[in-house]
Amino acid sequence: MYQANITLNELQDLKSDFELLKTEELSIHFGGLKAVDGVSFDLIHREILGIIGPNGAGKTTLFNLFSGVYAPLSGRIFFEGKAIHGLKPNLINERGIARTFQNIRLFSDLSVLDNIRIVMQHRADYGLRHLLFNTEKYRMQEDEILRKSREFLKIFGLEIKHDITAKNLSYGEQKRLEIARALATEPKLLLLDEPAAGMNTAEKEGQIELIKWIMLNFDISIILIDHDMPFVMNLCPRIIVLDYGKIISMGPPGKIKKDPEVIKAYLGEESHA
Amino acid sequence: MSLVFLENITAIAGIMIILAVSLNLINGITGMLSLGHYAFFGIGGYFGAFMTVQVHKLGIVNGVTGLPIFLMIIILSGLAASLAGLVISGPSLRLKGDYLAIATLGFNEILKIIIENLDFLGGPKGYSIYSELGNRPPLFRSGITWIYLFVVISIFVITRIMKSVHGRNFLSIREDEIAAEAMGINVAKFKILAFLVGSFLAGTAGVLFVMYDKFYANPRDFGFIEGIPVLLMIVLGGLGSTTGAVLGAVTLTLLLQLLKLIPGISNQPVLVYAMLLVIMMILRPAGFMNRKELSDLEIVKKIRARISGIIKK
Ligand SMILES: Nc1ncnc2c1ncn2[C@@H]1O[C@H](COP(=O)(O)OP(=O)(O)OP(=O)(O)O)[C@@H](O)[C@H]1O
Ligand SMILES: [Mg+2]
């Protein structure tokens, strides 16, 4: 369905010089636990960056900081050169960061169409008078939202399911709808929290192509978290490894694979388990 | 059954419809568990009664000015109630679920106690327009026409809102607040908005109720306990459905009025509510409408298609 037909090296070359996201010494603690501890890195426009690390390493918490769920205890986040740390999630989304959730969070009792339609709210600016009296302006904007939403569903192969309640979609479709919903807010940076979790090998292959295709077609940057090594390594020219809230390694898949720190972190996890 | 009895039931049903559809906007559509709706109802009632007395004392009410002045009073009472709605929407930004329920319940009871201690509003005895005006009735009053005018306005406004981005924003908060906020929706703004609209409408219901035939605002009418039937109505109708809220309001009003005719049961309302809830949970846990609206029903869609077909011919 989505064939990006592009190799890792070609992806690497696609990156522009434009710095989209920059974090400086980002930290947040929960009680005594340092969930994210002095994390600094940059992200370039049109980059796909992977974040891996053992359970509880702080990956999701990092996303929660980027998306404004938490304000950092210390450190700063810049998006397109402007500070965004401490902003409310909806304002961060307006700036151009959208995300999915590790445990899918759809508007599950609403239709597939409405899941997309809701987040197109930024496309309407009609007031109470227009909606009460069904004015031309109201109808034009609503029609446009409907048209755009259907277009999005079509892109993601969900158009025939537009009437179905979101919670009745299959797991894979729900994941796809959640990505579609995030993209419908027109972000410049997409954060994907475990987009391949719960998928079989064939589905993961498809997911890799989909994510590459999204990056190329929407012309955006993507940061993704996943536990599946081959998945991340086939998709991300650059990978960050987190452990106990700290970056313990950063670089291309070849380097990460051989890094003794990384091997130790993962072996450590196994011996715990 | 006398005509007056029928008229009274119709009037009460109308007021209950306004209360139910407005509470449904806050609880059913936006998903905030508010138990303080009767605070808004009461503020509207007291404010309207007080204003009515003031305009009569000013001597500006006559046959011509009566109607527009009353309309103004209804709207101002709604606004007074929505001021309280604004106050209570503050906690709604921080508290969720049971905690918000307790806060709103407390708000309702505190307000009742405050009113009971305000001498210029009659204290615990309540505020009688009659006695304030020297045992004369006011020159205007509410009635079936006024009540159903506001029933229509309430239903119309909420139904239209639900066909807009704003309505969908309310729904997204009920569905998943965290996701809604992450997708750019200003959750705080729309929670406040739901309370503002809901409390405004409840306030208009309050003045319409007080000005119906008693001309008397009684603090005991506006407690949290008194408001339980309205909660029951929106649960019976199916939380989130405006059509359901209307159906719930009408059926429960009729039922409660009929039960009044049976001696022994009428002074056990809580027992009746509990029984109703149990029966409903067994027979139809999602309420009459299960979040659907009239316009979602297949039969209505078919009729509509027919009609538009005929018109085109
Ligand atoms: N709101 C919170 N309050 C307290 N502790 C938290 C909170 N959120 C996260 N934590 C803790 O912070 C640590 C990092 O959690 P996080 O969810 O970021 O891990 P993760 O890397 O995403 O793990 P996984 O791979 O299992 O998803 C964990 O120990 C977690 O229990
Ligand atoms: Mg996680």
Side-chain angles (χ1 to χ4, degrees):
Chain A
M1 190 158 33
Y2 315 93
Q3 279 300 332
N5 290 325
I6 187 165
T7 66
L8 260 195
N9 285 333
E10 285 165 346
L11 270 182
Q12 176 74 28
D13 296 339
L14 258 177
K15 289 192 307 187
S16 71
D17 305 329
F18 179 65
E19 183 185 275
L20 189 67
L21 182 83
K22 184 181 180 67
T23 79
E24 288 176 0
E25 292 296 319
L26 213 53
S27 297
I28 186 167
H29 301 178
F30 297 114
L33 180 86
K34 295 176 177 173
V36 171
D37 190 9
V39 167
S40 306
F41 69 91
D42 302 342
L43 182 82
I44 307 285
H45 173 55
R46 251 189 270 151
E47 177 174 6
I48 302 182
L49 173 71
I51 298 182
I52 59 173
N55 289 110
K59 306 180 294 294
T60 298
T61 306
L62 200 57
F63 272 15
N64 284 338
L65 289 170
F66 292 154
S67 58
V69 175
Y70 305 128
L73 178 71
S74 62
R76 304 190 292 176
I77 309 169
F78 297 94
F79 186 68
E80 296 186 305
K82 296 193 194 80
I84 58 160
H85 44 275
L87 283 186
K88 304 237 312 156
N90 56 308
L91 295 179
I92 289 184
N93 178 265
E94 274 176 25
R95 296 283 180 94
I97 301 180
R99 68 175 291 184
T100 64
F101 295 87
Q102 188 168 350
N103 318 303
I104 305 174
R105 281 180 174 269
L106 289 169
F107 305 128
S108 47
D109 275 336
L110 302 180
S111 71
V112 168
L113 176 67
D114 276 343
N115 268 269
I116 302 291
R117 234 178 358 161
I118 283 173
V119 307
M120 296 251 176
Q121 45 98 28
H122 62 281
R123 291 173 174 269
D125 65 353
Y126 56 75
L128 193 63
R129 185 176 68 82
H130 291 280
L131 78 90
L132 284 184
F133 301 110
N134 196 11
T135 64
E136 180 80 24
K137 181 177 180 182
Y138 160 84
R139 273 177 284 138
M140 267 173 49
Q141 294 191 352
E142 278 295 318
D143 286 349
E144 176 63 13
I145 286 177
L146 189 64
R147 195 186 60 76
K148 265 277 174 196
S149 304
R150 285 184 181 280
E151 203 179 288
F152 254 90
L153 289 180
K154 202 174 206 163
I155 294 174
F156 289 90
L158 290 164
E159 207 200 14
I160 41 161
K161 310 237 166 175
H162 72 272
D163 229 2
I164 291 177
T165 310
K167 66 176 174 206
N168 293 332
L169 291 178
S170 74
Y171 177 77
E173 286 167 339
Q174 291 192 23
K175 288 219 127 182
R176 213 166 345 128
L177 178 58
E178 207 193 17
I179 295 176
R181 184 183 67 176
L183 285 170
T185 68
E186 298 177 273
K188 296 164 189 151
L189 170 61
L190 179 63
L191 309 174
L192 301 173
D193 201 343
E194 307 205 4
M199 293 187 166
N200 63 33
T201 320
E203 287 166 336
K204 278 179 182 170
E205 293 289 324
Q207 198 74 342
I208 288 178
E209 288 308 312
L210 174 66
I211 292 170
K212 284 181 185 168
W213 182 88
I214 287 171
M215 190 276 266
L216 292 171
N217 271 272
F218 288 85
D219 194 30
I220 59 174
S221 308
I222 294 174
I223 305 179
L224 64 94
I225 295 171
D226 216 282
H227 281 287
D228 186 299
M229 291 295 175
F231 175 77
V232 177
M233 299 207 168
N234 281 326
L235 185 52
C236 307
R238 186 164 68 120
I239 296 170
I240 285 178
V241 189
L242 275 186
D243 195 21
Y244 295 109
K246 284 192 169 70
I247 296 183
I248 57 167
S249 185
M250 174 156 46
K255 181 192 164 205
I256 298 294
K257 248 185 263 183
K258 283 184 254 144
D259 190 326
E261 283 289 326
V262 179
I263 295 165
K264 206 174 83 193
Y266 274 91
L267 284 179
E269 192 194 27
E270 263 161 38
S271 63
H272 283 310
Chain B
M1 257 191 259
S2 69
L3 215 61
V4 181
F5 183 70
L6 273 183
E7 192 184 329
N8 285 346
I9 290 193
T10 314
I12 295 173
I15 285 168
M16 289 300 151
I17 291 175
I18 303 176
L19 287 170
V21 294
S22 56
L23 180 64
N24 182 54
L25 175 66
I26 300 171
N27 286 24
I29 292 173
T30 315
M32 296 181 286
L33 191 47
S34 167
L35 300 182
H37 212 50
Y38 264 37
F40 311 135
F41 187 43
I43 289 173
Y46 266 92
F47 191 88
F50 186 75
M51 288 289 285
T52 300
V53 169
Q54 300 315 310
V55 295
H56 279 81
K57 282 186 177 164
L58 282 174
I60 54 172
V61 186
N62 57 43
V64 183
T65 59
L67 284 191
I69 287 182
F70 187 39
L71 182 62
M72 278 295 290
I73 289 180
I74 298 175
I75 291 169
L76 288 175
S77 307
L79 289 176
S82 61
L83 207 65
L86 186 66
V87 172
I88 197 62
S89 68
S92 82
L93 305 183
R94 299 181 163 274
L95 302 174
K96 285 190 189 97
D98 304 352
Y99 298 99
L100 180 62
I102 291 165
T104 49
L105 189 160
F107 177 75
N108 198 149
E109 289 307 292
I110 289 168
L111 211 88
K112 187 176 148 192
I113 292 169
I114 291 177
I115 287 177
E116 279 174 344
N117 284 287
L118 290 178
D119 286 336
F120 79 99
L121 289 180
K125 286 196 314 293
Y127 186 77
S128 164
I129 299 173
Y130 262 119
S131 22
E132 292 288 325
L133 294 180
N135 287 326
R136 272 197 309 250
L139 296 175
F140 48 73
R141 49 167 296 171
S142 89
I144 299 290
T145 318
W146 277 111
I147 291 173
Y148 278 84
L149 173 68
F150 277 86
V151 166
V152 170
I153 291 176
S154 307
I155 296 174
F156 173 75
V157 168
I158 292 179
T159 314
R160 288 301 305 170
I161 289 179
M162 293 320 292
K163 289 195 191 315
S164 75
V165 280
H166 308 301
R168 293 193 294 268
N169 287 348
F170 289 140
L171 288 173
S172 75
I173 296 174
R174 173 189 80 194
E175 290 297 311
D176 193 320
E177 220 178 299
I178 292 174
E181 208 166 26
M183 294 298 116
I185 290 155
N186 189 340
V187 168
K189 176 176 154 189
F190 283 92
K191 280 183 167 181
I192 293 172
L193 210 61
F195 265 109
L196 282 180
V197 176
S199 55
F200 176 88
L201 295 174
T204 65
V207 53
L208 291 167
F209 171 68
V210 165
M211 295 297 291
Y212 177 62
D213 61 353
K214 294 189 300 181
F215 308 120
Y216 173 49
N218 185 344
R220 276 187 298 269
D221 284 341
F222 302 121
F224 144 75
I225 294 284
E226 285 67 33
I228 288 182
V230 182
L231 278 164
L232 209 58
M233 287 167 193
I234 62 175
V235 173
L236 290 184
L239 271 177
S241 162
T242 301
T243 312
V246 174
L247 288 181
V250 173
T251 35
L252 196 60
T253 305
L254 288 181
L255 195 72
L256 291 178
Q257 294 298 322
L258 289 178
L259 286 175
K260 275 193 184 161
L261 303 175
I262 307 169
I265 288 191
S266 59
N267 46 17
Q268 298 293 343
V270 178
L271 197 71
V272 175
Y273 305 155
M275 263 163 43
L276 262 177
L277 264 185
V278 171
I279 294 172
M280 200 65 190
M281 288 306 127
I282 294 170
L283 293 183
R284 218 182 148 89
F288 299 147
M289 295 301 291
N290 186 16
R291 282 190 178 158
K292 288 208 166 59
E293 298 295 349
L294 201 57
S295 54
D296 297 329
L297 299 180
E298 281 310 314
I299 176 132
V300 177
K301 280 184 185 163
K302 269 183 200 153
I303 293 172
R304 263 207 190 154
R306 270 277 169 77
I307 292 174
S308 65
I310 292 170
I311 291 172
K312 269 178 199 150
K313 271 180 208 160

